[in-house]
Amino acid sequence: MKRLLKFIVLFYCIILMGNTAYAETEKVIYSDITAYINGLPIPSYNFYGPTVVIAKELENYGFDLNYVDEERCLYIEYNPEKEVTANYDPQKENKKIGSVAFPLQATDIYTRIGGHSTDGISYSSNGELLININELKEQHSCYVTWYEKERKICFDYMPYWEINPDIDYEKEKNEIISSFAIEFTKTEQKETNEFGKEQPKFQVNGKNEQYLSFFRIIWCEKTPVRDFKKNWFENGKITIDFCIREDTILKAEQLIQLLNSILTINSEGNVVSENIAAANKHIKVSINGESIPVSAIELRPDFDGYTYYIELDKEIKNLEEIQSITIECK
């Protein structure tokens, strides 16, 4: 019996030693990749490929961290109003690329970033959790971009809103059209965007709007980030874009001719300044009853039809400020 007990004790000791050895073999290394939070460098490391940062460091870069012990969960949320106190200078850090920065251990504490749980096993060093910087994009208006040539990965907060009207695209498209009109009126209701955030819901009325596929109104603050949601003209102004698809081109041929005759940016990307007056003659836009000038129109043909981008000479950062929008082209 004593021999059996000794064997059991020895067996568990071997398991514990094995687990300890496994935990100590998990290490992060210094990398040639530099990570940035809104243009400011942050200490970062490589962990089996992904670039990681110490969660606590994020507090210096505008993030709120809240640990709930009962849940064994660290909540991370970007706060654009928070003061940034970061002063890290990578040039002053003496590190050897590829060398071990510090060991890690797996932990049962998990993280939620912008309301989303992170994937995989969590790791910590001296009680501090590590975060894959790519997971910071799981928040409204937050983006992570990899620049291979510069060997850098950048988190950027980009104030952004988008209106996607509920257009009935099943309506008949039998008429030959040369114009369209759409009116948006804010309602008491709210809708949830793709980031899980509530935003105002607009009632939509229009004429020939069913011919304009993928219609949306979008505003993004100017930023170097390259993303498919980016304002097309990259200057922080409101943009309207829509597509006249291949299956409606014949019915909308007159409208296409009108739009093409008032393009202010030609196929070579050059500005046709003399067309700006014509664009404002044929396209009338008002927001909250105020007339808003058109400052640019560009066409981008694609395999599915013709996509038009109409830039307005207006910047509204908060969607809550918009009560109504009317757009008329004729």
Side-chain angles (χ1 to χ4, degrees), residues 54-326:
I54 297 173
K56 187 173 179 58
E57 290 280 356
L58 294 171
E59 289 187 303
N60 300 322
Y61 291 82
F63 288 81
D64 289 327
L65 273 62
N66 179 33
Y67 174 65
V68 181
D69 190 47
E70 296 82 2
E71 302 176 15
R72 303 290 288 170
C73 179
L74 178 66
Y75 290 85
I76 300 175
E77 193 86 30
Y78 182 70
N79 179 3
E81 305 299 323
K82 187 173 183 178
E83 181 184 3
V84 174
T85 58
N87 59 2
Y88 170 67
D89 184 355
Q91 300 298 323
K92 295 181 179 180
E93 187 174 30
N94 184 21
K95 62 181 182 180
K96 182 180 179 181
I97 305 302
S99 64
V100 175
F102 47 80
L104 293 177
Q105 288 187 330
T107 175
D108 65 337
I109 298 174
Y110 71 100
T111 55
R112 288 180 68 84
I113 300 175
H116 299 270
S117 294
T118 55
D119 297 328
I121 301 172
S122 296
Y123 290 89
S124 68
S125 174
N126 295 324
E128 300 295 342
L129 285 177
L130 258 70
I131 302 296
N132 181 341
I133 193 172
N134 197 53
E135 292 180 323
L136 295 178
K137 67 185 178 183
E138 297 297 333
Q139 303 168 100
H140 179 55
S141 293
C142 296
Y143 300 85
V144 175
T145 309
W146 162 242
Y147 298 87
E148 184 173 5
K149 184 177 179 180
E150 295 89 349
R151 302 293 291 169
K152 66 181 182 180
I153 187 166
C154 301
F155 167 93
D156 287 280
Y157 171 69
M158 182 174 64
Y160 157 84
W161 56 257
E162 180 175 340
I163 299 175
N164 290 292
D166 292 326
I167 293 176
D168 182 8
Y169 290 112
E170 299 302 318
K171 287 171 64 175
E172 292 185 354
K173 304 180 183 69
N174 295 327
E175 296 184 17
I176 303 295
I177 66 166
S178 60
S179 64
F180 70 84
I182 303 182
E183 180 179 6
F184 300 82
T185 306
K186 185 194 248 180
T187 69
E188 297 287 333
Q189 298 175 304
K190 298 284 186 177
E191 60 183 3
T192 303
N193 62 27
E194 62 184 297
F195 295 96
K197 302 291 184 180
E198 285 193 340
Q199 66 179 39
K201 184 177 178 64
F202 290 83
Q203 178 181 341
V204 182
N205 293 301
K207 177 184 178 183
N208 299 330
E209 77 279 11
Q210 70 270 30
Y211 291 82
L212 313 177
S213 299
F214 312 121
F215 192 101
R216 68 175 182 172
I217 305 174
I218 184 173
W219 174 82
C220 295
E221 189 171 73
K222 185 177 180 179
T223 169
V225 173
R226 295 295 183 266
D227 190 272
F228 73 96
K229 288 183 172 59
K230 183 94 173 73
N231 183 312
W232 184 260
F233 298 95
E234 300 186 358
N235 60 7
K237 294 183 179 179
I238 296 173
T239 301
I240 301 165
D241 58 75
F242 56 86
C243 178
I244 299 178
R245 297 181 58 173
E246 188 175 6
D247 56 351
T248 58
I249 284 178
L250 292 179
K251 297 294 182 182
E253 186 175 2
Q254 292 181 21
L255 175 60
I256 292 171
Q257 290 176 355
L258 170 60
L259 291 170
N260 289 351
S261 69
I262 57 175
L263 294 177
T264 66
I265 300 176
N266 61 25
S267 58
E268 287 76 35
N270 299 318
V271 176
V272 186
S273 56
E274 60 268 23
N275 277 355
I276 293 179
N280 281 281
K281 176 182 177 181
H282 291 281
I283 299 178
K284 304 293 183 182
V285 180
S286 67
I287 299 178
N288 298 340
E290 175 191 357
S291 179
I292 307 298
V294 172
S295 49
I297 303 178
E298 184 170 6
L299 164 66
R300 284 296 176 102
D302 56 42
F303 69 93
D304 201 32
Y306 298 92
T307 300
Y308 293 91
Y309 299 86
I310 302 174
E311 176 197 83
L312 305 181
D313 193 12
K314 185 71 173 179
E315 177 181 347
I316 297 179
K317 293 186 176 183
N318 189 350
L319 184 57
E320 295 286 348
E321 297 178 15
I322 298 178
Q323 302 299 319
S324 64
I325 304 174
T326 59

Side-chain angles (χ1 to χ4, degrees), residues 36-49:
Y36 293 86
I37 304 293
N38 291 323
L40 297 175
I42 182 173
S44 61
Y45 315 90
N46 183 283
F47 185 52
Y48 290 106

